[in-house]
Amino acid sequence: MLIKVLVCLFAGLGAGLGTGFAGMSAAAVISPMLITFLGTPAYEAVGIALASDVLASAVSAYTYGKNKNLDIRNGLVMMAAVLLFTLAGSFAASRMSNAAMGNFSVVMTFLLGVKFIVKPVMTTKESMAEVSPKKRLLQSVLSGMLVGFICGFVGAGGGMMMLLVLTSILGYELKTAVGTSVFIMTFTALTGAVSHFAIGGMPDLWTLCLCVAFTLLFARIAALFANKAGAATLNRATGCVLAALGLAILIVNLA
């Protein structure tokens, strides 16, 4: 039981920090740790990770929204496109190996972390406001289609891909990008968790409760810090968290 608590603690720590700082999906951290250290079946581990993601993303989205760092209108549009095109990406990826898909997500997480450290996002809300609502709406639809297809094709990395697209393509200020990302992830994770439990049954309740609690706690702490931090500090913190998580997950996968 002690080993289970420690594994869930460290999994929740990494997942919570990744969610609160960078809108990263908890599934990218929790799943490999549960599979490697607790011998949890892969399908069950993903279900637990998605369930942990729901509350962590929701509390993070609330914190970002409370600080006016959330674009709900365009977030809803993007979410609809993401969900639809994830199905198309999944169909296209039906012949790919799980290992190839998982390694792509991990490497991209690490590279995105390095990107935020080397080339921080310094976009302001004023420059965001210069984009017309119609153009922003169209960008949200197209970006959601791109993110959804890639996530379905790769099999993971939804939050990471959304953060990359929101900051690099749509030109979002970093805090608003993270807030919008966790808002979308709340609903996509809920959909995934419900489907996993409906198909595979309920997982080990102790593992589920511990992962949900620890991820929620650290996501709340990270989101509070992120919303009070300056742009340069947040970029460095986000970059360090993503790079560290990317390396840690890669090591776990290779263990």
Side-chain angles (χ1 to χ4, degrees):
M1 186 64 186
L2 177 60
I3 294 176
K4 180 179 292 188
V5 172
L6 289 175
V7 170
C8 292
L9 171 61
F10 285 107
L13 171 63
L17 293 180
T19 300
F21 273 121
M24 183 178 174
S25 172
V29 180
I30 292 178
S31 299
M33 292 197 67
L34 294 184
I35 293 168
T36 302
F37 297 111
L38 295 182
T40 306
Y43 195 83
E44 181 179 328
V46 172
I48 292 173
L50 288 169
S52 303
D53 214 0
V54 176
L55 289 179
S57 294
V59 75
S60 297
Y62 170 78
T63 304
Y64 279 91
K66 189 176 180 180
N67 288 275
K68 302 186 185 304
N69 293 315
L70 173 59
D71 184 359
I72 294 180
R73 179 172 176 268
N74 291 301
L76 287 171
V77 172
M78 182 178 290
M79 179 177 66
V82 167
L83 291 173
L84 179 61
F85 276 79
T86 295
L87 297 176
S90 297
F91 177 77
S94 58
R95 295 185 179 181
M96 283 189 66
S97 68
N98 289 327
M101 293 188 290
N103 289 336
F104 177 86
S105 176
V106 172
V107 172
M108 284 300 296
T109 298
F110 173 74
L111 293 178
L112 184 59
V114 173
K115 184 260 182 191
F116 280 118
I117 297 173
V118 176
K119 189 178 180 182
V121 177
M122 302 304 290
T123 307
T124 63
K125 289 185 178 180
E126 288 74 20
S127 60
M128 280 182 60
E130 294 175 1
V131 180
S132 68
K134 288 185 178 180
K135 182 179 179 180
R136 179 72 73 196
L137 188 66
L138 179 60
Q139 288 177 329
S140 297
V141 173
L142 295 176
S143 298
M145 292 165 60
L146 175 64
V147 171
F149 185 83
I150 292 176
C151 291
F153 191 75
V154 174
M160 177 266 296
M161 283 304 306
M162 274 187 279
L163 184 63
L164 178 62
V165 168
L166 287 169
T167 54
S168 301
I169 299 179
L170 271 70
Y172 272 58
E173 176 257 347
L174 184 55
K175 291 181 183 178
T176 306
V178 176
T180 305
S181 178
V182 289
F183 172 74
I184 296 171
M185 288 304 297
T186 301
F187 298 96
T188 55
L190 178 61
T191 302
V194 170
S195 64
H196 268 70
F197 294 157
I199 296 171
M202 287 299 294
D204 179 73
L205 290 180
W206 273 111
T207 304
L208 175 63
C209 292
L210 287 170
C211 285
V212 169
F214 287 133
T215 305
L216 176 62
L217 172 63
F218 289 109
R220 174 64 171 167
I221 293 172
L224 287 172
F225 175 82
N227 278 278
K228 293 181 180 179
T233 301
L234 182 57
N235 272 275
R236 284 194 293 268
T238 302
C240 289
V241 168
L242 284 174
L245 288 176
L247 281 177
I249 299 166
L250 186 60
I251 292 172
V252 169
N253 287 343
L254 295 175

